[in-house]
């Protein structure tokens, strides 16, 4: 059975799938990279995907980080990535620049990924981004990085590219290991905040006889946003007023659409195809992607653990499939 893991984008709310994956590792007694054949991630989901597949310096057959280590990444480094200020800038730059300077996230990615390469990822890895110079979707793949060195990038650059959400961070300027090319990337969440469909298309394209095989997909969200946008406020917004809400709508809208599409596709191909998605509903006050205080992280931890309890039997079924 081909086993696929997909992790949504969602900023600091990436702690939600990280906690869920910690539960999987606890129940199966195996690291995540031994449970799946393919992992796909966007933005914070891309950082998780890379982190769970970064080889250990002393044993390149094993992952350096467990899921619990990445839970701690959000707790220890969250306020470095998203410093607790109004906009991270002052004066006119408050409106003219991105919300946060990149030095925080760059330092964290350097700390966790060092000089590890995409081609060294433990299993097949798929990370989404968007290249703004050529105006094209971009998908980082371990397979392609191993085949052509000009598509091999340091993991920290891939992580920076996939998480460069407009209005939050400036675009990423990255270069491959063995090429003079320069790429300018922004967050893949603009077209695939839920990268499950990207992963599914990759499966269809690269794995033969799929129609006769079994395929299992686990899709993890970073929290369903239920915060309404009041009409009386929205109708008065101009370019500035719509900037951040538009990003949030794009991210949540694509996630919902892709989930609905894949749910239909997999449902028509049962029993050989199985699809599970785990998502929590967030209270209106906790729907932001960049609030990294203990108050927010404790809330995300609480709602995730509650979901794990409520869907424990389903999680046991997932673990049984993954370890079969």
């Amino acid at each position: 059975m081909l086993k696929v893991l997909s992790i949504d984008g969602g900023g600091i709310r990436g702690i939600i799938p990280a906690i869920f994956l910690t539960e999987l590792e606890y129940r199966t007694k195996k690291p995540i990279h031994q449970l799946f054949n393919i992992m796909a991630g966007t933005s914070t989901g891309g950082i998780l995907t890379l982190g769970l597949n970064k080889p250990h310096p002393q044993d390149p057959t094993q992952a350096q980080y467990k899921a619990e280590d990445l839970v701690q990444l959000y707790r220890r480094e969250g306020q470095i990535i998203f410093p607790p200020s109004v906009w991270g800038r002052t004066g006119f730059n408050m409106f003219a620049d991105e919300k946060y300077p990149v030095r925080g996230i760059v330092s964290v990615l350097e700390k966790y990924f060092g000089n590890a390469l995409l081609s060294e990822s433990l299993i097949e890895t798929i990370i989404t981004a968007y290249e703004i110079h050529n105006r094209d979707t971009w998908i980082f793949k371990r397979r392609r990085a191993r085949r052509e060195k000009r598509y091999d990038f340091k993991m920290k650059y891939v992580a920076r590219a996939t998480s460069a959400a407009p209005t939050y961070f400036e675009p990423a300027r990255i270069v491959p290991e063995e090429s003079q090319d320069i790429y300018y990337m922004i967050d893949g969440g603009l077209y695939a905040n839920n990268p499950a469909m990207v992963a599914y298309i990759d499966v269809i394209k690269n794995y033969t006889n799929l129609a006769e095989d079994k395929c299992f997909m686990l899709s993890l969200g970073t929290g369903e946003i239920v915060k309404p946008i009041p009409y009386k406020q929205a109708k008065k917004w101009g370019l500035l007023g719509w900037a951040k809400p538009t990003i949030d709508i794009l991210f949540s809208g694509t996630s919902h659409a892709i989930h609905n599409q894949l749910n239909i596709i997999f449902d028509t191909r049962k029993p050989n195809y199985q699809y599970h998605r785990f998502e929590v509903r967030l209270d209106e006050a906790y729907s932001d992607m960049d609030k990294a205080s203990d108050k927010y992280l404790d809330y995300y931890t609480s709602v995730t653990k509650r979901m794990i309890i409520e869907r424990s039997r389903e999680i046991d079924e997932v673990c049984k499939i993954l370890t079969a």
Side-chain angles (χ1 to χ4, degrees), residues 236-291:
K236 299 176 183 177
W237 288 345
L239 290 175
L240 184 62
W242 271 107
K244 185 178 179 296
T246 296
I247 298 298
D248 293 344
I249 292 168
L250 280 171
F251 285 3
S252 63
T254 59
S255 291
H256 280 289
I258 289 168
H259 165 59
N260 291 334
Q261 292 161 5
L262 282 173
N263 202 34
I264 293 171
I265 291 171
F266 274 73
D267 192 56
T268 60
R269 298 189 176 188
K270 287 182 178 179
N272 286 349
Y273 281 58
Q274 296 188 53
Y275 170 79
H276 292 257
R277 180 165 170 85
F278 289 85
E279 181 80 287
V280 298
R281 290 178 65 87
L282 300 177
D283 184 85
E284 176 180 339
Y286 294 90
S287 59
D288 290 325
M289 297 190 295
D290 59 341
K291 299 295 189 297

Side-chain angles (χ1 to χ4, degrees), residues 125-172:
T125 303
I126 300 169
I127 309 292
T128 67
Y130 186 88
E131 211 286 324
I132 60 175
H133 182 77
N134 295 307
R135 296 293 297 270
D136 196 10
T137 56
W138 187 280
I139 302 174
F140 297 94
K141 296 182 181 182
R142 185 191 74 162
R143 183 188 306 109
R144 186 162 66 168
R146 289 184 168 184
R147 187 172 60 238
E148 300 181 63
K149 290 300 182 183
R150 65 193 181 101
Y151 292 118
D152 197 10
F153 298 80
K154 290 179 179 178
M155 285 186 173
K156 62 185 178 184
Y157 295 158
V158 178
R160 169 76 177 95
T162 191
S163 60
T167 74
Y168 291 93
F169 299 110
E170 67 184 47

Side-chain angles (χ1 to χ4, degrees), residues 29-287:
K29 309 303 180 187
K30 289 186 176 184
I32 296 300
H33 73 92
Q34 292 182 6
L35 298 175
F36 296 91
N37 306 106
I38 302 170
M39 288 178 60
T42 291
S43 195
T44 196
I47 293 174
L48 285 171
T49 296
L50 292 165
L52 293 167
N53 283 289
K54 180 184 182 293
H56 196 288
Q58 278 71 53
D59 184 358
T61 67
Q62 298 297 318
Q64 181 172 355
Y65 305 115
K66 297 179 180 179
E68 172 60 26
D69 297 323
L70 300 180
V71 172
Q72 296 307 313
L73 181 155
Y74 291 99
R75 286 201 169 271
R76 293 172 183 164
E77 318 290 353
Q79 293 194 39
I80 296 176
I81 297 172
F82 301 110
S85 59
V86 177
W87 267 83
R89 311 292 174 107
T90 58
F92 177 74
N93 285 341
M94 179 177 178
F95 301 101
D97 281 341
E98 290 73 21
K99 190 172 184 180
Y100 299 104
V102 299
R103 60 179 177 271
I105 190 169
V106 168
S107 68
V108 171
L109 297 178
E110 173 68 35
K111 175 180 177 180
Y112 279 82
F113 294 106
N115 291 320
L117 296 171
L118 176 62
S119 59
E120 297 170 346
S121 185
L122 292 171
I123 65 172
E124 190 54 46
T125 303
I126 300 169
I127 309 292
T128 67
Y130 186 88
E131 211 286 324
I132 60 175
H133 182 77
N134 295 307
R135 296 293 297 270
D136 196 10
T137 56
W138 187 280
I139 302 174
F140 297 94
K141 296 182 181 182
R142 185 191 74 162
R143 183 188 306 109
R144 186 162 66 168
R146 289 184 168 184
R147 187 172 60 238
E148 300 181 63
K149 290 300 182 183
R150 65 193 181 101
Y151 292 118
D152 197 10
F153 298 80
K154 290 179 179 178
M155 285 186 173
K156 62 185 178 184
Y157 295 158
V158 178
R160 169 76 177 95
T162 191
S163 60
T167 74
Y168 291 93
F169 299 110
E170 67 184 47
R173 179 184 183 275
I174 66 172
V175 295
E177 278 302 285
E178 298 185 14
S179 172
Q180 298 300 312
D181 295 333
I182 300 175
Y183 298 97
Y184 304 92
M185 305 278 193
I186 60 175
D187 197 317
L190 293 172
Y191 69 94
N193 196 56
N194 177 346
M197 185 63 78
V198 174
Y200 179 68
I201 296 301
D202 185 81
V203 167
I204 293 175
K205 182 178 179 181
N206 293 288
Y207 293 84
T208 59
N209 301 319
L210 183 61
E212 300 174 3
D213 293 340
K214 294 182 178 181
C215 182
F216 170 83
M217 178 175 286
L218 174 63
S219 176
L220 301 180
T222 57
E224 182 180 6
I225 299 174
V226 295
K227 183 178 181 180
I229 299 176
Y231 168 72
K232 289 183 178 180
Q233 294 181 21
K235 70 177 183 178
K236 299 176 183 177
W237 288 345
L239 290 175
L240 184 62
W242 271 107
K244 185 178 179 296
T246 296
I247 298 298
D248 293 344
I249 292 168
L250 280 171
F251 285 3
S252 63
T254 59
S255 291
H256 280 289
I258 289 168
H259 165 59
N260 291 334
Q261 292 161 5
L262 282 173
N263 202 34
I264 293 171
I265 291 171
F266 274 73
D267 192 56
T268 60
R269 298 189 176 188
K270 287 182 178 179
N272 286 349
Y273 281 58
Q274 296 188 53
Y275 170 79
H276 292 257
R277 180 165 170 85
F278 289 85
E279 181 80 287
V280 298
R281 290 178 65 87
L282 300 177
D283 184 85
E284 176 180 339
Y286 294 90
S287 59

